[in-house]
Each structure stands twice: as C-alpha cells, then as structure tokens.
Amino acid sequence: MSHLFPVYSRWDVEPISAEGSQIIDKNGKHYLDFTSGIGVCNLGHRPAKVQEAVENQLNSFWHVSNLFIQSKQDEAAKLLADAAGLELVFFSNSGAEANEAAIKLARKATGRNKIITFTNSFHGRTFAAMSATGQEKIQIGFGPLLQTFKHVPFNDLAVITEELDEDTAAVMLEIVQGEGGIHLATKEFLHELQILCQSNGTLLIVDEIQTGMGRTGKPFAYQHFNLNPDIVTVAKGLGSGFPIGAVIGSNKLGEAFGPGSHGSTFGGNPISIAAATVTMQTIFDSGFLKEVTKKADYLRNSLIELLSDPLVVDVRQLGLMAGIELRKEAAPLLAHLREKGLLLLPAGENVIRILPPLSATYEEMDEAMNIVSAVLNEVHAKV
C-alpha cells in the first residue's frame, strides 16, 4: 500500500539514474526522455555546470530567509528581467505560485477585479490559478470558484472585445496552450489583443511557465510576436529541476508590491537561485538559442511527414514544443511508445506532446521520430 494520495496516474517506470536525454529505470531499461520532466529539464538531466553551481552553494549555505540581502538573488533577477525586456522580479517556488502572484499584482496595481483567460488554458492548481484555468476537468469537485475570472474562446478577438470592460484588471494567456492541446495563438490575435489592453488600461499577463526558458527558440515565446506584456510568469525550465518560479514585471508595478504585500518563505532559495543562474546563462546565449531554432526546423520536417499517417489529424509546433493530434485517444499510444523506450506526454485526450530537452542531439530526434512513426504504423495495421 502506498501512503501517497493517489493524485497522479503513474507510469510503470521507476528511474534510478538520468543524464542528458536518457533515463535508466530500476530494471536497467533505457528510455529516451522527450518529456523533459514536463518541460523542466530543458538542458537535459543533470547538466554538469548546473550541478557544479548547486554543489558550490550547498557548501556555502542552504537557507537564510528573505530578510537577508542576497546579492545572487538580485543577479539572477537581472538576468531574467533583461531577457524579458522588463525590470522587476519576484521569485516563487512554482509556476502556480508565480501565477497567483501575478493575479494579485494585477488586481492591486489596477484597483480592478476581473481577469480574462481562455478556454483550454492551464494556469495551475492553486485556487486562483485553478479559477483562471479554462478546463472544467481541473475544477470539478472543488466547489464555487473565484467569480472574477471570465473564460473566453482562444484567438477570438470579437468575444474578448465584448467582455473587456472598465473592471478588467488583466488578460492572462499562454502563447501556446500546452496542457490544453498545443494550440498556438495567432499573430493577428496577439497584436490586436495588446492594442485592446493598452487602450483600456488593462494589463497583459503572459504565462510562460511551459513556453519560456528557450523552449521555442527565444527566451520567451511572446518574443516571436513583438509583444510587450506588463507581467510574465516563468517556472519549469528556470531551475533545471530545482523548484523555482518567478513573476517578471514592469517598473510601473513596483509600488503595488511594496514591503509586506506579498512574500514566500522559500521563494528565491539559494540552491534554486544557483541552479537558475547557470541555466539562464546557458539558455539565453544567442548561439544556444540559434541552435534550438535549427533543431526545431529539423524536427518540423519529421512532423510534417507524419501528416500522411491515417491516424494523424494535425501537427502543431513552436520551437521544440510540438503536438501530434490523433484520431484516437493518445494514452494507449503513449504506453506503447514507453514499451519501445520513448517517453512522451499527453496534451488533452488525443494529442501527443513532444518536449525534447533543448540539448537533445539530432540523432536522438531521429530516434524519437522513428519510434513514433513505427508505433503509428503498428497501431494502424491492427486497426
């Protein structure tokens, strides 16, 4: 009997070691991991420079609290703010906490209450983040949600124009809806949405929890569309597996988050900051991001070939974040892929999500796509 609450549908895989794009389980079986810890291990498992930085910090101190000046925290904040084109950072422990802080910040800074989000969005499982999420399956059973969140169809400017009013504090969105099925915002929608927000005094919050940290070939996905958000949230890939999230905001929001207005006991923990600093120094390098873009183009060619498979409805991609929409449920195919030694994720009921480490090799991408193609062929042959 397990003493853990059964909130996860766990795979029959127990890792004992991992490095780069590879996981080895307790039976000695090798897996090619193209889940990246659900978008966390963007540099692969146990990147050497991150491990070295963490070990150095472990030999210094682990925790002192945010009552103390911590210059390394400020150095990490500058790296993050500069990459986002913003000025101020608050460190949290997770993406959900970052989104909670962003929601509080938007409401306090504007003095308004309503926040508009989108159907099929995912912003976390804490209460405000769950209320912001546009998926009923996340919310069922928890009673009345926070009433000041309004969900509207994604990429539909007409509906959001009608919903936006003088009490709208912020519009909050993902550039790519990861958990919702790898749905991409259109350039036209994002451009008009930004104009609409600016004209109404409404803040634009971009949730980059999964799309940030180089996942799409730029530090943040909104940078593909020349957006200038007021608030950006980030987590997952920020710490290479160590728990850390962040809210990045513009200078004009500084007064709203003054002393005592928000806080986190473990936010900006020295160990996580050490991991995040080296992670950012690596990922935000222009040469590294250029190589991610090349890999994304390479992966796209393999994905396009899958469109000829009778089981495939569509493929959608931005950078090294891709989804294969199927004509059937994804879960059985994912189990079959695991048997073949490839780890991939679902995104909704019928989408296979591909999140390779940004450090994955071209040979590993070939191996992964060959396995996907072979499994699709096997399943189609049985049908």
Side-chain angles (χ1 to χ4, degrees):
M1 172 185 170
S2 173
H3 294 282
L4 298 169
F5 275 106
V7 294
Y8 303 110
S9 297
R10 297 184 189 270
W11 301 338
D12 188 21
V13 178
E14 183 174 347
I16 59 165
S17 66
E19 185 173 3
S21 303
Q22 304 289 325
I23 286 177
I24 303 174
D25 74 6
K26 66 177 184 179
N27 299 314
K29 183 173 180 176
H30 289 243
Y31 295 87
L32 182 57
D33 181 14
F34 271 33
T35 73
S36 297
I38 316 183
V40 168
C41 302
N42 283 4
L43 296 177
H45 294 282
R46 294 197 302 116
K49 289 183 179 180
V50 174
Q51 183 168 332
E52 181 183 2
V54 167
E55 289 173 350
N56 287 339
Q57 186 61 50
L58 282 169
N59 289 323
S60 180
F61 62 93
W62 300 1
H63 177 84
V64 292
S65 90
N66 285 313
L67 297 175
F68 292 81
I69 294 170
Q70 297 181 59
S71 59
K72 290 181 179 178
Q73 216 180 61
D74 201 48
E75 291 166 10
K78 185 179 188 308
L79 284 170
L80 197 52
D82 286 351
L86 293 165
E87 294 83 31
L88 299 174
V89 172
F90 171 83
F91 286 113
S92 64
N93 304 292
S94 68
E97 287 182 43
N99 283 337
E100 288 276 338
I103 289 163
K104 288 178 65 176
L105 177 58
R107 289 180 56 160
K108 193 165 189 290
T110 63
R112 301 177 180 184
N113 298 309
K114 185 163 73 173
I115 294 183
I116 298 174
T117 63
F118 296 89
T119 52
N120 290 322
S121 62
F122 182 81
H123 298 293
R125 296 179 185 273
T126 51
F127 218 82
M130 178 177 66
S131 298
T133 293
Q135 297 187 54
E136 187 179 3
K137 68 181 183 181
I138 304 296
Q139 303 162 340
I140 290 173
F142 294 105
L145 302 174
L146 300 181
Q147 298 302 304
T148 53
F149 289 92
K150 301 296 179 182
H151 307 123
V152 300
F154 198 44
N155 282 324
D156 190 330
L157 193 68
V159 177
I160 199 169
T161 300
E162 184 178 338
E163 187 65 51
L164 201 75
D165 59 23
E166 61 184 12
D167 193 41
T168 305
V171 175
M172 184 177 191
L173 82 159
E174 304 154 278
I175 302 300
V176 182
Q177 293 185 328
E179 303 293 330
I182 314 297
H183 296 291
L184 282 65
T186 66
K187 182 178 181 180
E188 295 75 19
F189 172 72
L190 293 172
H191 176 72
E192 294 299 325
L193 176 62
Q194 179 165 264
I195 293 173
L196 185 64
C197 287
Q198 290 173 344
S199 65
N200 193 60
T202 295
L203 300 179
L204 181 61
I205 304 173
V206 179
D207 178 339
E208 293 269 2
I209 305 303
Q210 190 167 156
T211 52
M213 295 307 299
R215 173 55 56 187
T216 67
K218 291 185 180 292
F220 302 99
Y222 67 83
Q223 292 167 332
H224 289 279
F225 303 96
N226 296 317
L227 288 185
N228 295 295
D230 301 286
I231 300 172
V232 177
T233 57
V234 62
K236 286 190 181 290
L238 178 57
S240 287
F242 288 86
I244 186 169
V247 178
I248 319 166
S250 61
N251 259 331
K252 67 182 180 182
L253 302 174
E255 288 186 10
F257 259 15
S261 59
H262 195 57
S264 172
T265 296
F266 295 107
N269 173 273
I271 307 301
S272 294
I273 287 291
T277 298
V278 175
T279 300
M280 286 189 285
Q281 289 169 343
T282 303
I283 289 177
F284 294 159
D285 176 78
S286 60
F288 183 90
L289 290 171
K290 185 177 180 180
E291 184 63 20
V292 171
T293 299
K294 286 175 59 179
K295 290 175 181 177
D297 291 340
Y298 188 84
L299 178 63
R300 183 174 296 112
N301 292 330
S302 296
L303 288 168
I304 290 172
E305 290 179 7
L306 292 179
L307 285 170
S308 62
D309 191 288
L311 291 177
V312 176
V313 176
D314 191 18
V315 295
R316 297 182 287 271
Q317 179 194 14
L318 185 61
L320 288 179
M321 182 177 187
I324 304 170
E325 184 177 350
L326 304 171
R327 300 186 192 279
K328 60 178 297 177
E329 188 181 355
L333 274 79
L334 291 168
H336 197 173
L337 289 166
R338 289 195 294 274
E339 292 172 4
K340 300 288 187 180
L342 176 62
L343 303 178
L344 295 177
L345 294 162
E349 291 187 3
N350 64 336
V351 176
I352 291 175
R353 183 174 16 163
I354 305 174
L355 295 173
L358 308 185
S359 56
T361 65
Y362 293 94
E363 292 77 15
E364 287 171 333
M365 287 193 289
D366 283 342
E367 180 184 353
M369 296 312 298
N370 287 338
I371 295 172
V372 170
S373 181
V375 167
L376 287 172
N377 288 335
E378 287 180 28
V379 172
H380 177 63
K382 290 179 181 178
V383 174

